[in-house]
Amino acid sequence: MKISKLFEPNKTVLSLEVFPPKKESGLGMIYETLHELQGVRPDFVSVTYGAGGNESSNKTLEIAATIKNRYGIEALHHLTCVNNTQKEIQAILKAMKIAKIENVLALRGDFPEDSKGQMQAQDFTYAKDLISEIVVDPSFCVAAACYPEGHISQALDEENYSHLLEKEQAGAEFFISQLFFDNECFYRMVEGARQIGVTKPLVAGIMPILSQAQVQKMIFMCGSSLPSKLIKLIYRYGNDPIELRKASLEYAWQQMDDLIRHGVDGVHLYTMNRSEIAIKTFAHLRKEESSK
């Protein structure tokens, strides 16, 4: 089933993300996580893709196929431009069809740490180029990324919105946002995107904070800003990891509740492969739904 069909008026699509382990030895753990997540009943699960030939990229399809064919949950297979030739992309798409995976999140992808910002393979420069390649086969449903505070390489909001429109015109059927901690950033992006002509669903991506180190990494990798309320929370519980996780999870829930009240198209949880985070979060969201 194409995930784009899940988006309906007055409905918030709820989804989550997992990623392949960096080492083969961790593969069993991800399957334990998936087993624990089946009771969560997300609308779909996305599976990230290793950049630049990372061996974890080879496990993306295996994990996505397990989600779809063993647990009966729609899977969204990430696919990146970085260091993938047209021939390699076509081979992956062929393997996806065999595995009955029809949903793809097309991304430019992050450069490998030792690449100095350069791609060895340059058949696809931008995500829109990869989208155009995939949609030649109408059996695929293609999603793309959006950035509430703009991509870290972009200085102007207008540039951010125009790139979204270009991705939609290339064939993207819905968008999932980069993580953010201030809902106003997402609402501004939605308004700006709609004004420029973007019509497809825009899904809000939320990641609970688990440690101070994680915050620092996210800020420099993604360019996400921190509202004062969250900064104070991190300062208060910085030396108490357990309380920090508890407080940050509640902060993420408040974000989600506000997003749902504002009628967003979808909410996407970055689980960091922590099944307990997904289980608690979806239990909270179901409880909120039933109390309406």
Side-chain angles (χ1 to χ4, degrees):
M1 176 183 177
K2 291 186 176 182
I3 290 173
S4 59
K5 295 181 179 180
L6 296 174
F7 296 96
E8 301 174 355
N10 302 316
K11 175 186 176 181
T12 302
V13 172
L14 301 178
S15 56
L16 54 86
E17 179 174 296
V18 297
F19 56 86
K22 292 183 178 179
K23 297 181 179 180
E24 185 75 25
S25 58
L27 198 57
M29 187 174 295
I30 186 63
Y31 285 116
E32 289 180 13
T33 298
L34 293 177
H35 181 73
E36 293 168 352
L37 290 177
Q38 63 179 322
V40 171
R41 296 180 292 112
D43 290 307
F44 68 88
V45 175
S46 70
V47 187
T48 65
Y49 184 85
N54 185 301
E55 64 180 24
S56 66
S57 65
N58 299 325
K59 300 299 179 183
T60 301
L61 179 55
E62 179 181 330
I63 294 170
T66 299
I67 292 168
K68 172 70 179 286
N69 301 317
R70 180 183 299 177
Y71 298 116
I73 301 171
E74 288 303 325
L76 179 64
H77 186 301
H78 291 213
L79 197 54
T80 66
C81 300
V82 172
N83 287 354
N84 272 322
T85 64
Q86 182 182 35
K87 183 178 180 179
E88 289 168 337
I89 290 293
Q90 285 299 325
I92 294 170
L93 294 174
K94 182 178 179 180
M96 288 177 62
K97 292 191 73 169
I98 294 173
K100 300 180 181 179
I101 303 299
E102 54 191 323
N103 298 288
V104 189
L105 178 60
L107 306 162
R108 190 201 71 176
D110 298 322
F111 297 110
E113 293 181 2
D114 60 351
S115 70
K116 298 181 181 181
Q118 296 179 346
M119 290 189 287
Q120 295 176 1
Q122 299 185 36
D123 288 358
F124 307 100
T125 304
Y126 301 110
K128 64 180 181 180
D129 304 322
L130 180 57
I131 293 168
S132 297
E133 176 77 11
I134 299 170
V135 299
V136 170
D137 185 337
S139 66
F140 285 111
C141 171
V142 184
C146 58
Y147 302 88
E149 297 178 75
H151 192 277
I152 195 167
S153 65
Q154 296 170 355
L156 302 175
D157 287 342
E158 290 75 13
E159 184 180 7
N160 184 29
Y161 305 147
S162 64
H163 286 173
L164 282 183
L165 183 59
E166 288 173 357
K167 291 176 185 178
E168 179 172 315
Q169 292 171 338
E173 297 188 49
F174 65 97
F175 296 89
I176 298 178
S177 88
Q178 179 64 270
L179 62 92
F180 60 92
F181 301 105
D182 183 348
N183 286 2
E184 291 304 316
C185 295
F186 184 81
Y187 299 142
R188 283 196 296 271
M189 180 200 69
V190 172
E191 181 179 4
R194 297 306 185 210
Q195 287 179 350
I196 203 172
V198 176
T199 62
K200 300 299 184 182
L202 296 163
V203 177
I206 300 296
M207 176 183 284
I209 292 172
L210 299 182
S211 68
Q212 289 195 64
Q214 176 198 11
V215 174
Q216 294 172 347
K217 181 179 181 180
M218 290 301 103
I219 289 175
F220 285 101
M221 283 186 63
C222 308
S224 301
S225 62
L226 298 179
S228 60
K229 180 178 179 180
L230 186 56
I231 293 174
K232 292 176 181 178
L233 184 153
I234 296 170
Y235 177 81
R236 180 177 182 181
Y237 298 112
N239 295 320
D240 191 336
I242 294 177
E243 287 301 314
L244 176 60
R245 292 183 185 186
K246 179 181 178 181
S248 66
L249 187 57
E250 291 176 351
Y251 182 92
W253 292 350
Q254 291 172 9
Q255 275 192 275
M256 292 178 171
D257 292 345
D258 181 71
L259 289 162
I260 292 172
R261 284 195 297 269
H262 277 76
V264 298
D265 298 313
V267 174
H268 188 68
L269 175 67
Y270 294 105
T271 68
M272 296 153 287
N273 287 5
R274 303 292 185 91
S275 59
E276 71 276 9
I277 290 177
I279 292 170
K280 290 179 180 179
T281 298
F282 273 68
H284 169 82
L285 294 175
R286 305 299 186 199
K287 183 178 179 180
E288 287 295 306
E289 285 181 342
S290 63
S291 65
K292 290 182 180 178

